[in-house]
Amino acid sequence: MDFGLVLQTDPPASQVVSLMKRAERNGFRYGWTFDSAVLWQEPFVIYSQILANTQKLRVGPMVTNPGTRTWEVTASTFATLNDMYGNRTVCGIGRGDSAMRVAGRAPNTLARLGEAIDVIRDLAEGRETQVDGKALRIPWIKDGKLPVWMAAYGPKALALAGQKADGFILQLADPYLTEWMIGSVREAAVAAGRDPAEITICVAAPAYVGDDLAHARDQCRWFGGMVGNHVADLVSRYGEHSSMVPEELTEYVKSRQGYDYSHHGRAGNPSADFVPDEIVDRFCLLGPAEAHIEKLRVLRDLGVDQFAVYDMHDAREATIDAYGSDVIPSFG
């Protein structure tokens, strides 16, 4: 199992770079960041510094979307980083939540997302493709490589990931839901004539190592609120008691009362007050290192290839170091 670190690009950018360097020293192989231009600093600028200050770390957004930038700009940006640092980027992509809604736009449709996955990958790897009805190729790209991993929760999005994506990003660490969603992605891959084993499975969730569970829960409760944005969309689309979406995912958002993006992804987010302890425990990894190892082994046995640590709380360095000393060595 690989391990990744997920950060927000809060200023100063030097702190983001420093934490990514620390992660690589501790055995993490991937460095991810949020991508929301209004809420945080521009990640692709910071990726250049992360790549320059690490040796092998692979970097990318968790996640970008098809609406913030034109697709040829996204592809060229990834390709430029790859040309400078040697094919060390991954494009995590989804419909868009904070990046689109904060700017007053709706998330992208799945049809647009599916088209973007193909176009961005083709352009970044030097192939000709159609962009807005025009044949386009980036001529300077040589030996480009860009895996595109898609974030998804709902049935139609999971199917799209299985049909098109090189990897699937699941932003929660509940074993029951993980098994259900991986199964949906793999079924869609088989139906599309793909080998499901070739789709990388990445689970991303907050991790907090320590014995004070009450404090850890409070530091990670924001995650249930963030996931709740997507779950609320699913309830709106499929209904409260749809057989297409497990109640284990949707039940907890019944008491959700809106969402303030100014606190998005941050400890102490008041918009996450509706999230019960049970959801925090199910969606996150909390407790001593042994508890993390136990849950990660369950996830690995379900087919998870990478666990990406959301490190937005008051123990960022300690969590990175604890994973490096106690957790990652157990999966070598």
Side-chain angles (χ1 to χ4, degrees):
M1 179 183 277
D2 285 333
F3 288 84
L5 182 72
V6 189
L7 299 173
Q8 294 170 335
T9 52
D10 286 315
S14 59
Q15 179 70 8
V16 178
V17 175
S18 177
L19 288 168
M20 290 298 186
K21 290 169 62 178
R22 190 185 197 110
E24 184 177 60
R25 291 196 302 269
N26 276 282
F28 289 78
R29 294 189 59 206
Y30 286 78
W32 303 94
T33 74
F34 282 38
D35 178 15
S36 189
V38 175
L39 296 177
W40 303 290
Q41 292 186 328
E42 172 56 39
F44 287 94
V45 177
I46 299 171
Y47 294 158
S48 188
Q49 286 297 303
I50 295 171
L51 290 164
N53 284 275
T54 55
Q55 302 301 312
K56 296 181 179 180
L57 198 72
R58 296 180 178 271
V59 305
M62 189 175 282
V63 292
T64 193
N65 71 86
T68 301
R69 304 171 183 85
T70 60
W71 302 347
E72 67 272 18
V73 170
T74 298
S76 182
T77 304
F78 276 112
T80 300
L81 292 171
N82 283 337
D83 187 64
M84 293 173 68
Y85 300 106
N87 288 342
R88 290 168 56 197
T89 66
V90 181
C91 177
I93 195 168
R95 293 178 60 224
D97 179 33
S98 62
M100 298 297 287
R101 287 176 163 136
V102 167
R105 307 184 187 106
N108 297 269
T109 65
L110 287 176
R112 181 171 172 80
L113 175 56
E115 185 182 358
I117 288 172
D118 290 335
V119 169
I120 291 169
R121 184 197 292 118
D122 283 344
L123 287 175
E125 295 186 348
R127 292 185 294 276
E128 181 178 295
T129 189
Q130 293 285 319
V131 181
D132 295 329
K134 177 181 173 59
L136 201 64
R137 185 177 72 86
I138 303 177
W140 54 263
I141 296 177
K142 310 295 181 186
D143 301 318
K145 184 66 176 175
L146 183 65
V148 180
W149 297 7
M150 179 183 155
Y153 291 107
K156 293 181 180 179
L158 294 168
L160 181 63
Q163 293 158 8
K164 290 184 177 289
D166 301 299
F168 164 49
I169 296 171
L170 172 56
Q171 291 160 308
L172 54 79
D174 175 73
Y176 174 83
L177 293 171
T178 297
E179 183 175 21
W180 177 76
M181 292 184 185
I182 290 175
S184 297
V185 169
R186 288 177 169 167
E187 287 175 11
V190 171
R194 303 181 66 198
D195 180 356
E198 293 183 357
I199 300 175
T200 302
I201 306 296
C202 174
V203 161
Y208 198 107
V209 180
D211 295 323
D212 188 343
L213 280 178
H215 180 73
R217 287 176 181 133
D218 286 343
Q219 286 292 304
C220 298
R221 197 174 308 276
W222 62 265
F223 185 66
M226 186 185 83
V227 174
N229 293 331
H230 304 283
V231 175
D233 285 346
L234 294 179
V235 171
S236 176
R237 178 182 294 268
Y238 297 103
E240 287 189 16
H241 303 291
S242 171
S243 61
M244 299 181 70
V245 183
E247 287 191 4
E248 287 82 355
L249 179 62
T250 61
E251 183 70 20
Y252 84 100
V253 301
K254 287 184 176 180
S255 58
R256 178 179 180 268
Q257 301 290 328
Y259 191 81
D260 182 355
Y261 279 93
S262 65
H263 305 285
H264 189 58
R266 299 184 187 280
N269 184 346
S271 297
D273 288 348
F274 71 96
V275 180
D277 287 351
E278 177 196 2
I279 288 294
V280 183
D281 291 348
R282 282 174 45 201
F283 285 10
C284 305
L285 275 75
L286 311 174
E290 294 78 12
H292 292 241
I293 293 168
E294 180 180 358
K295 190 167 186 177
L296 286 168
R297 283 175 174 159
V298 172
L299 294 172
R300 180 195 59 190
D301 292 344
L302 292 174
V304 175
D305 300 298
Q306 179 184 153
F307 177 63
V309 175
Y310 275 106
D311 205 25
M312 281 74 78
H313 48 57
D314 64 1
R316 294 187 298 177
E317 291 86 353
T319 296
I320 293 169
D321 293 347
Y323 263 68
S325 63
D326 300 327
V327 179
I328 294 177
S330 297
F331 297 88

